[in-house]
Amino acid sequence: MDRYCVFGNPIAHSKSPEIHTAFAAQTGQELAYERCLAPLDGFVDAVRTFIAQGGKGANVTVPFKLEAVKLAQALTIRARAAGAVNTLVFSDDGIIGDNTDGAGLVADIVNNAGVPITGKRVLLLGAGGAVRGVVLPILEHRPARLVIANRTVAKAEELVEQFAALGGQGVVSACGFDGIEGDYDIIVNGTAASLSAELPPISPSVFAPGALALDMMYGASPTVFLQFAGQHGAQLRDGLGMLVEQAAEAFQLWRGVQPATADVLHHLRSRL
């Protein structure tokens, strides 16, 4: 039976085995998917051991997504753009690194929430790895504008410079939280503020009528950001859909089959 796993440290909390086991049952694929706790200083050795034992592919989570870039012998365009790898494909040609996070976010917005990105005004809050991974997939849907707002403006400006050459010329711009102007159709919180139950310092005026507010974090109850957005009329989504959709993208890469996500997402939601 083909083996897959997710590498991380810590890893016991990961929902990936549950998600991929459900995808396999749904699509009739014979595979085993497990959690792999890699030592903080032993990620590369852990991956090579897994390959030697017959592993076919792996997901990568915190804190190894940057190390996975160096380990990969080839990177997809979106992995190169993200500067991080969350999916490894072990092939005859070696280790291929990909990043499915941005595709997962876009699929959740467009397919699950039913909100098109094309022609819309999009605001990304934060400029760290989580945001970096979603810029290119959003740009591929041709938004009217994409603004990256961050506490440290220079970090956001670095992203703008990088992505201007990848279809963002004249579309993507940067500012500080206090420099956000106008309102937006889609607002994505990619900061770590929700981990400490804090709110990014944004004005309620950023939410256009009927706007979609999405927080990359998820939990049993809405984050502080989503509560704030809801008070100002936004429709709300947390990061659980993104998690399931990025997994579906990885599953398709490994198995050549696109799983349906709705039932899996519903099941996970019921167990939060």
Side-chain angles (χ1 to χ4, degrees):
M1 186 180 288
D2 289 345
R3 290 179 61 206
Y4 298 87
C5 79
V6 55
F7 288 101
N9 188 333
I11 200 59
H13 66 285
S14 174
K15 298 188 187 308
S16 292
E18 192 177 344
I19 295 170
H20 284 279
T21 299
F23 287 162
Q26 176 205 117
T27 57
Q29 296 284 307
E30 292 277 326
L31 61 87
Y33 189 109
E34 63 206 82
R35 296 178 184 87
C36 294
L37 178 69
L40 292 175
D41 59 353
F43 168 69
V44 171
D45 287 344
V47 174
R48 296 205 183 283
T49 299
F50 185 65
I51 294 172
Q53 292 170 348
K56 296 290 186 184
N59 288 125
V60 182
T61 188
V62 177
F64 301 122
K65 289 185 180 184
L66 298 181
E67 266 190 86
V69 173
K70 298 174 191 162
L71 173 67
Q73 289 148 313
L75 295 174
T76 63
I77 291 171
R78 59 191 182 183
R80 224 174 298 138
V85 160
N86 80 331
T87 303
L88 295 170
V89 180
F90 308 141
S91 73
D92 294 341
D93 300 325
I95 302 171
I96 301 163
D98 201 351
N99 190 305
T100 65
D101 284 332
L105 177 81
V106 165
D108 189 51
I109 291 172
V110 175
N111 301 336
N112 298 339
V115 175
I117 294 171
T118 305
K120 298 295 180 70
R121 296 157 301 181
V122 182
L123 174 64
L124 285 176
L125 303 174
V131 166
R132 184 174 172 152
V134 305
V135 175
L136 184 60
I138 288 174
L139 285 175
E140 286 172 343
H141 278 251
R142 302 185 309 285
R145 61 189 294 220
L146 175 61
V147 175
I148 303 170
N150 193 52
R151 202 178 296 276
T152 308
V153 182
K155 274 192 79 177
E157 286 172 341
E158 276 175 34
L159 288 190
V160 170
E161 204 170 304
Q162 178 190 339
F163 287 100
L166 292 168
Q169 190 73 45
V171 175
V172 62
S173 60
C175 64
F177 288 130
D178 56 357
I180 301 171
E181 295 178 353
D183 58 7
Y184 296 84
D185 306 301
I186 301 168
I187 302 94
V188 177
N189 182 24
T191 72
S194 294
L195 288 174
S196 48
E198 292 174 14
L199 181 70
I202 56 171
S203 162
S205 63
V206 303
F207 301 103
L212 173 71
L214 186 148
D215 197 318
M216 290 187 184
M217 305 292 176
Y218 65 88
S221 55
T223 64
V224 172
F225 167 75
L226 290 180
Q227 291 172 38
F228 176 72
Q231 289 160 7
H232 297 96
Q235 52 174 313
L236 311 179
R237 286 196 79 77
D238 66 9
L240 193 64
M242 176 182 176
L243 175 73
V244 174
E245 293 295 343
Q246 66 78 26
E249 184 84 1
F251 190 90
Q252 199 278 332
L253 283 173
W254 294 326
R255 310 300 296 183
V257 178
Q258 185 69 46
T261 55
D263 287 349
V264 178
L265 179 53
H266 179 73
H267 177 68
L268 285 182
R269 176 78 62 203
S270 71
R271 297 189 56 192
L272 284 181

